[in-house]
Amino acid sequence: MTIYHISAECFPVAKVGGLADVVGALPKYQNNLGHQSCVIMPFYDNKFTQNNTFESVFTATFLLGNEKVNFRVFKLKNKSLDFNIFLVDIPELLFTNNIYSNDDTNRFIAFQIAVLQWISQMEVLPDIIHCHDHHVGLMPFMMSHADQFKSLKRVPSVFTIHNAQYQGQFSHSKENLIPEFDKNLTGLLDWDEQINPLATAIKCAWRVTTVSPSYMNELMYNAKGLESLLSSERNKCIGILNGIDDVVWNPKTDGFLIKNYSKKTVISGKKANKQWLCKTFGLDEKLPLYIFIGRLVYEKGADLLSEIFDISLQDTQKSILLLGSGDQKVERGFEQLKEKYAGYFNAFIGYDERLSHIMYAGGDFLLMPSRIEPCGLNQMYSLRYGTIPIVHKVGGLKDTVTDINDHGFGFCHEGVSAIEVSKAISRANAFYARVEDFRKTLKRIMDIDHSWQYSAKQYIRLYNELIKLK
Ligand code: ADP
């Protein structure tokens, strides 16, 4: 079957977080299963687009409100990605250095119209249009109800919620940007007197998925205002656990690492990566190294990190290294901690793909005190690299990490207070001292298969059900 994934992010073209990793991996695994899966995303101004060549495959014009917008669709020329990727070029709206900005409503409505305009005139339509997150949440509505996209009415749409905290709401005063539709259907766009693309997608997509089964259950009572909507649409919702790209994320071949390693050589391999990290960030390599990688936002428990680190570092029996950016107050807090715990704590504020790989490899424990975690990829990467996760039992973390006391391999805490997280860290530190058990566990977790193999098949099964309904 032919599947079109539509997304604002896709690794390695443009990435802010897990959305990019998922959209950059799932199509690859679907193609391995014998399907034709591709990605359509905006043409941004970044390193990837500067360093690659593209061919133009479609040119047209549409109306965004009263304004005429010209666009082109480019296809990546080389085959480096294992799936076809198409970039929609609307220079005045999408060709920016940052993926997201202040006028995202206009930018992403324009993107969605351009995508549909291109697809709707194709001689052979795709079997499935799979939309990811609120940036493309109006597509299922437009496919079913916009006059100009009539040809797409019977093409099944799947919508995946990667994060329900972000819904893309905007005022009804911008309703005119959406192509002509029967105004009796305005209610489908509305949630709480605003146009809410995430809510619209939940109402209009043929099926709604989230990125882990536990997150789907949690959304029924914690979905930033959409709980009742999700409950009423529950029959078409399903949680499918994300996988990881086990080709990109493979310690044996990962080109970013200081030293590659397998399960057999994990001790020396991790040591070399840890030595580099400790040397680079002025930490003591003899102590267990705890890492945190992620967006510094409330959902990830970022506001608690300084307190957690402050409690945990008092015994000078461990080091902590953080990679991330976000809330500036949180970032400033780390500057103080760097001084107070020089030699035990360091933080790299920013985004650095290479450093993240070396940290997964060189860390001993990964911290994820997330308040909300739709799936979480970090814990799956860390397992593959032999780094033990310490996680809050929530969402996808609950589905992928079992506590060592329950015959598992990680450290789970029930709540996210600084005290609870610090207690889990103390348990982990005691475990580190049990050298044999610690080493056995590293090897054991490297064997856990979280690749897309299984979940890619689940999506295909779901698509097949929808194709039968056509
Ligand atoms: P989310 O999508 O909510 O941010 P996920 O766990 O699903 O969280 O995915 C996060 C992805 O982003 C992982 O690949 C992680 O390694 C990466 N990442 C997050 N912050 C950074 C950073 N500062 N530098 C490099 N990679 C990062």
Side-chain angles (χ1 to χ4, degrees), residues 30-230:
Q30 292 179 331
N31 286 341
N32 289 345
L33 294 171
H35 303 284
Q36 288 81 48
S37 187
C38 70
V39 173
I40 308 174
M41 66 180 298
F43 199 122
Y44 302 114
D45 180 13
N46 62 20
K47 266 199 194 140
F48 187 94
T49 55
Q50 284 152 19
N51 295 336
N52 283 278
T53 48
F54 303 87
E55 59 182 310
S56 172
V57 293
F58 186 71
T59 306
T61 301
F62 63 86
L63 279 179
L64 184 65
N66 297 323
E67 267 182 54
K68 234 178 165 186
V69 179
N70 299 315
F71 74 99
R72 282 212 279 177
V73 181
F74 288 95
K75 182 182 177 192
L76 177 66
K77 263 191 167 168
N78 68 53
K79 298 262 177 237
S80 56
L81 295 190
D82 300 320
F83 54 88
N84 281 330
I85 185 147
F86 298 92
L87 307 189
V88 174
D89 186 28
I90 308 177
E92 64 276 27
L93 288 172
L94 298 176
F95 193 65
T96 50
N97 199 244
N98 291 324
I99 299 176
Y100 304 114
S101 69
N102 292 335
D103 64 343
D104 280 351
T105 299
N106 291 36
R107 296 173 74 225
F108 286 107
I109 291 180
F111 171 63
Q112 294 174 85
I113 297 173
V115 172
L116 291 178
Q117 183 143 332
W118 176 44
I119 300 177
S120 60
Q121 56 73 53
M122 288 177 178
E123 258 175 47
V124 183
L125 297 174
D127 295 304
I128 294 286
I129 295 189
H130 189 152
C131 307
H132 298 267
D133 266 352
H134 73 85
H135 321 100
V136 291
L138 297 176
M139 286 182 65
F141 172 83
M142 293 196 239
M143 287 165 64
S144 298
H145 306 298
D147 302 339
Q148 94 188 66
F149 304 130
K150 266 197 203 105
S151 63
L152 299 175
K153 228 183 167 75
R154 300 308 310 155
V155 177
S157 56
V158 174
F159 182 81
T160 297
I161 304 172
H162 293 259
N163 194 333
Q165 293 296 300
Y166 304 97
Q167 303 179 357
Q169 301 95 324
F170 58 92
S171 150
H172 276 283
S173 64
K174 289 199 169 191
E175 197 176 296
N176 68 323
L177 299 180
I178 300 170
E180 204 58 30
F181 61 93
D182 176 355
K183 292 295 178 264
N184 291 322
L185 299 174
T186 303
L188 289 173
L189 298 172
D190 184 81
W191 195 257
D192 265 350
E193 294 175 21
Q194 283 192 304
I195 295 182
N196 183 317
L198 193 75
T200 303
I202 294 166
K203 294 178 200 178
C204 298
W206 290 33
R207 287 300 282 274
V208 174
T209 74
T210 62
V211 290
S212 71
S214 287
Y215 186 55
M216 181 56 91
N217 293 336
E218 289 164 13
L219 284 179
M220 298 300 153
Y221 56 89
N222 182 14
K224 224 179 173 187
L226 302 186
E227 300 79 6
S228 61
L229 174 62
L230 279 154

Side-chain angles (χ1 to χ4, degrees), residues 339-360:
E339 274 178 35
K340 186 168 174 188
Y341 295 107
Y344 296 96
F345 173 74
N346 213 333
F348 181 95
I349 302 300
Y351 185 93
D352 191 325
E353 191 72 24
R354 173 173 178 259
L355 178 57
S356 77
H357 284 239
I358 302 173
M359 285 173 69
Y360 288 120

